Amino acid sequence: LAAHKNFEPDDLSRVARFWGTERLAQTPGLMAVELFDAIARGEVKAVWIMGTNPAVSLPDSHAVCQALAVCPLVIVSEVMQETDTSRFAHIRFPALGWGEKDGTVTNSERRISRQRAFLPAPGEARPDWWIIARIAEQLGYGDAFAWEHPHEIFCEHAALTAFENNGERVLNLRELASLSREAWDELAPYQWHAGDFPQRNLVPVDPSSHGAGVDELYPLILNTGRIRDQWHTMTRTGYVPRLMQHIDEPFIEMNATDAARAGLTDGQLARISSPRGVMVARVRISTAQRAGELFAPMHWNAQFARQGKVNALVEGRIDAWSGQPESKQTAVRILPWLPAWQGELYARELPALPLSVCWWRKASRLTVAGEQPLLSWVMAYASGRGWQLQVAQTGERSSVLAWHHGELMLGYWEGQTLPALAHAFIEEAFAAAPVQLAERHALLHGQRPGEDADPGRIICSCFSVGENTIRKAIAGGCNSAAALGVKLRCGTNCGSCLPELKGLLG
């Protein structure tokens, strides 16, 4: 219930008296996994999804998508135009992002702070409370949602915490319930109940074993989690080139023993499957994984990869008490995938590729792979737009550049293995087309004339410092993270790359 109350008879009665209504939910709502099961059974006819992407984040994501597909009414409030969930929406509301909102936030130490917008609301985007109030008004409940400003909502919340509260409830914001608009706007960080909480007993429990059972068909346990530079389902962070530098595609991390048993090598593509689905990812062999266990990140979605969603594999088992999905234990198998070709596609507007092509979006380009070469399709796509083509085919490698009025419109490079390209030079060519013949010839082959040594995988996203550059500095005498910071600046800004720097230092 509101103000963190439970569904006890006293709480139900108290909230009803405060709001002057008997129209209250009498029991807790369904938890996330249960909700989509109920939608699939036809028991829930309408769902309003705000600020989350369950088609990616929940386990058994195919089942979630199937439930949304049959739901009579799906409403989505979002800040991004396209997400895996919003494609099922019958109604979309443009919501405000974090930096556009005005209100308060409470942190884990119970400290309430004012949150002030530092960006204007774009277009028709509105705060969630405003959208809810307008819908309530249209449904005939405008009097109960007659807010015009977040200050009013805050004071109502504070008043409910204090209502009939003679000290038996710790959450009591009585002194904030009558704040004026001006006082609320200037509210200093406020910690409610700064004293000690009443003593509570810790109750030991017997941990239950996970429900994932390995067998001959699915002999490995898959663990899922997060990586350093992405947030949740990467609907926003995935579009930030700097955040894509460190890890730019889904991967599957595994022990060397398991990799050898499966016939896999580091950097090779693999198919990981469970009875529910399949994903394609590049193998990373690591001592961080125990034998018999795999790890894959949970962020990738249909906007950034084809067959990149790890939650398509995860079973929808939940904890009986919290309803939390068991996303850390899924029985899977892994097999090598040996595509006939792999490539890199740059374009001013990335095209929709044939369904037979596996792809990963990486900021300004697509990494692609498949059973049939894509070169002829790319050439037909570019020719159909009247672009002038420049083509090279040398042995196992093929490439094409498409030009229009002197501007580079598209570049594509493919081979039996993923071509190693001078990505920075290619991006520069889209910003300003090279004029020297030698530069254009080198560009056709994906290289910069006189290219320096490959900096390697980006470790420091803040200053774009690669692994090879760091190793060279270590070999040259940098024997600490501080020394690397002085020479290369890596690790001197956000600090999130420091663990990897220390790992390279040994």
Side-chain angles (χ1 to χ4, degrees):
L1 285 174
H4 304 285
K5 299 183 187 302
N6 296 315
F7 285 88
E8 303 296 336
D10 287 347
D11 286 341
L12 287 164
S13 176
R14 186 175 293 113
V15 173
R17 288 195 300 277
F18 178 82
W19 276 336
T21 182
E22 295 299 325
R23 294 177 62 88
L24 286 180
Q26 299 298 301
T27 58
L30 296 172
M31 296 181 185
V33 174
E34 297 172 333
L35 171 62
F36 287 92
D37 289 343
I39 293 173
R41 294 192 300 267
E43 298 168 8
V44 173
K45 306 294 186 182
V47 61
W48 190 345
I49 300 168
M50 293 184 175
T52 189
N53 195 10
V56 180
S57 61
L58 287 184
D60 200 358
S61 59
H62 290 324
V64 173
C65 292
Q66 290 168 356
L68 289 170
V70 300
C71 187
L73 178 60
V74 178
I75 304 171
V76 173
S77 295
E78 248 299 340
V79 300
M80 301 302 293
Q81 183 176 3
E82 296 296 336
T83 71
D84 288 37
T85 299
S86 64
R87 66 191 178 99
F88 295 101
H90 302 98
I91 300 172
R92 300 189 192 194
F93 290 124
L96 295 185
W98 169 74
E100 300 155 355
K101 291 182 178 181
D102 188 37
T104 60
V105 293
T106 305
N107 68 9
S108 57
E109 62 171 6
R110 309 178 307 283
R111 194 175 302 279
I112 301 170
S113 300
R114 277 282 286 115
Q115 176 178 319
R116 299 171 178 86
F118 57 83
L119 291 172
E124 295 180 304
R126 295 292 184 271
D128 291 331
W129 67 263
W130 187 93
I131 298 171
I132 292 170
R134 300 292 81 77
I135 295 299
E137 184 179 23
Q138 293 297 313
L139 294 175
Y141 299 101
D143 291 344
F145 296 83
W147 311 306
E148 295 297 333
H149 192 273
H151 157 255
E152 301 167 54
I153 303 171
F154 179 85
C155 289
E156 181 177 327
H157 166 68
L160 179 53
T161 69
F163 184 65
E164 298 179 357
N165 188 349
N166 297 316
E168 67 275 13
R169 302 195 306 278
V170 173
L171 175 56
N172 188 340
L173 304 178
R174 186 184 309 277
E175 59 188 280
L176 303 181
S178 58
L179 285 179
S180 66
R181 169 82 173 269
E182 293 73 19
W184 175 84
D185 196 51
E186 298 300 325
L187 181 66
Y190 173 90
Q191 185 181 33
W192 58 268
H193 193 76
D196 294 333
F197 270 80
Q199 186 173 357
R200 294 290 185 264
N201 295 324
L202 296 177
V203 180
V205 297
D206 294 325
S208 58
S209 61
H210 63 79
V214 297
D215 54 29
E216 291 186 5
L217 192 58
Y218 300 103
L220 301 168
I221 290 293
L222 172 66
N223 176 18
T224 69
R226 300 172 184 263
I227 59 175
R228 189 187 80 190
D229 289 358
Q230 296 299 330
W231 170 249
H232 205 44
T233 61
M234 61 190 293
T235 52
R236 285 170 285 178
T237 53
Y239 289 102
V240 182
R242 179 174 289 182
L243 295 179
M244 291 295 283
Q245 290 184 114
H246 181 238
I247 297 174
D248 58 9
E249 64 184 7
F251 63 88
I252 187 74
E253 195 170 79
M254 63 190 309
N255 182 280
T257 302
D258 292 326
R261 186 178 294 117
L264 290 162
T265 58
D266 193 68
Q268 184 178 351
L269 288 171
R271 280 197 170 106
I272 308 95
S273 61
S274 77
R276 286 155 295 282
V278 63
M279 73 173 293
V280 176
R282 206 170 294 276
V283 172
R284 285 189 173 190
I285 297 176
S286 171
T287 57
Q289 299 305 318
R290 295 180 295 191
E293 298 182 3
L294 310 175
F295 172 83
M298 56 81 66
H299 309 284
W300 270 264
N301 56 61
Q303 314 305 312
F304 289 90
R306 178 166 288 160
Q307 291 189 318
K309 287 199 297 187
V310 71
N311 275 325
L313 282 62
V314 178
E315 187 177 353
R317 291 187 306 273
I318 60 173
D319 176 72
W321 294 99
S322 68
Q324 181 70 21
E326 193 176 67
S327 300
K328 302 292 185 182
Q329 304 279 351
T330 299
V332 299
R333 64 181 170 190
I334 184 169
L335 296 171
W337 181 43
L338 302 173
W341 59 272
Q342 299 183 56
E344 301 278 16
L345 174 64
Y346 280 84
R348 292 188 181 274
E349 292 186 9
L350 294 171
L353 298 177
L355 294 178
S356 59
V357 176
C358 200
W359 55 265
W360 301 268
R361 180 170 183 158
K362 302 176 179 180
S364 57
R365 75 183 195 272
L366 296 176
T367 296
V368 291
E371 304 299 341
Q372 298 295 326
L374 191 63
L375 182 66
S376 58
W377 184 93
V378 171
M379 293 175 64
Y381 172 85
S383 297
R385 283 153 179 76
W387 299 341
Q388 183 180 1
L389 301 186
Q390 185 181 357
V391 182
Q393 292 182 291
T394 55
E396 299 175 354
R397 289 279 299 272
S398 301
S399 57
V400 58
L401 301 177
W403 303 87
H404 186 61
H405 297 315
E407 286 191 328
L408 181 61
M409 306 302 293
L410 177 148
Y412 177 65
W413 298 262
E414 77 174 21
Q416 290 185 0
T417 59
L418 188 64
L421 304 178
H423 293 289
F425 180 52
I426 295 170
E427 291 173 0
E428 291 168 11
F430 276 90
V435 295
Q436 299 296 325
L437 184 61
E439 289 182 322
R440 290 205 173 200
H441 181 75
L443 178 64
L444 182 59
H445 295 279
Q447 304 302 317
R448 185 197 299 269
E451 179 73 84
D452 294 334
D454 176 16
R457 181 175 65 91
I458 296 298
I459 300 296
C460 174
S461 296
C462 294
F463 299 111
S464 301
V465 185
E467 181 177 349
N468 295 345
T469 304
I470 294 168
R471 290 188 182 278
K472 183 178 179 180
I474 293 172
C478 290
N479 58 6
S480 68
L484 289 170
V486 171
K487 184 175 181 63
L488 304 175
R489 300 178 70 192
C490 53
T492 62
N493 192 33
C494 76
S496 61
C497 64
L498 286 172
E500 287 186 80
L501 296 180
K502 293 175 182 177
L504 292 173
L505 286 161

